[in-house]
Amino acid sequence: MPNLTTGNTRAGGLATWPARWSFLLLWSTGVALVVIDSPDSVFDPKTLVVFAAALVGALLLTTPTPGPLRPGPALALVPIALLVGMTSLAASPLSGETWGLTFGAYLVAFLIPRGNPRIGALGSALFIGCIIAWSALHDLSQHQLADALGIPIGCVMAAVVWRLVLRSIVRRERMHRSQSERIFEDALARAAHDSRKDLSEIRTVVEPILTRLAAGDEIDERFRNDIVRLEAALRDRIRVPRAHNRLLIDQIERLRERDVAVVLLGEPNTDGDAISDDLAISLARLIASVESGKVTIRVLPDGRAAAATVVMPTASGVEQIVLADCGKILSRI
């Protein structure tokens, strides 16, 4: 619900342009109905007043401003609705199914979902009371009274249900959004914590080398090798973060100290978890005996039967070993 905002939910959707066009369409169809059924009454001053008042009421009810109507416009809708409804009822007292009576009932009842429930309830009660009083003065039958009251009472019921259902939907949606926001904030906090932790660990490793460089130490063969190994370790950490397990990293460091070339490959954009300790232990044990040459370790993406592969030199040549996440060797070639 990307458009679930205070502006349109507190107004029950009636502050939107689609709602305004819907009421204007309803008004125009009512005018057309009167023109078709009673063409002679179209230019009657009372009919023109009803048309004008109904149009003003529709525009007021669907005022495209955020939230409920201001008290002034909301209160103005009550006499407008009474004028439209009662004038129409007076013009056709033997039938409650008049367009003006229905439209007037809409104007006051839908103040309830519009966000003005008290004024809407008061206006609807007054509207229904006027119909009952009119029926008593003109001695309408119970059937005629029921016809006249059916639409106003139905409008009030629909308006109340509309408001309650919308409030329930909004409450659940906002609760869901709050939960989603908390999850997102927690994820950001964890990412920030992990980032600070990584930077702290990197600083611990890099600072001694940088201090020596800043102090002007001579860059001899041994110092150069220290820099090369540090660069390789940092590159592995950035390119294959899933392989950053101390059990494996320490063994790789020992191999590099023996001048064994170690290449660590993987998927830098994979969001999977780090390799398990069992896999790290198995990898470390496999490469521990290598004294020279080149070792290539690849951490595979999640969802595969194999979790990692190792290509390493042996007495008889080069061997490729495939391992599962639990550290079990799946194959050796």
Side-chain angles (χ1 to χ4, degrees), residues 178-211:
S178 298
Q179 292 173 348
S180 300
E181 289 171 358
R182 284 196 296 270
I183 292 173
F184 180 69
E185 290 173 357
D186 290 344
L188 287 180
R190 287 195 299 271
H193 176 267
D194 292 342
S195 178
R196 289 193 298 269
K197 182 180 178 181
D198 287 344
L199 289 174
S200 177
E201 292 178 0
I202 291 173
R203 179 177 180 179
T204 301
V205 175
V206 172
E207 193 170 25
I209 297 293
L210 295 179
T211 301

Side-chain angles (χ1 to χ4, degrees), residues 52-66:
L55 178 60
V56 172
L59 295 176
L60 279 177
L61 181 63
T62 58
T63 301
T65 55

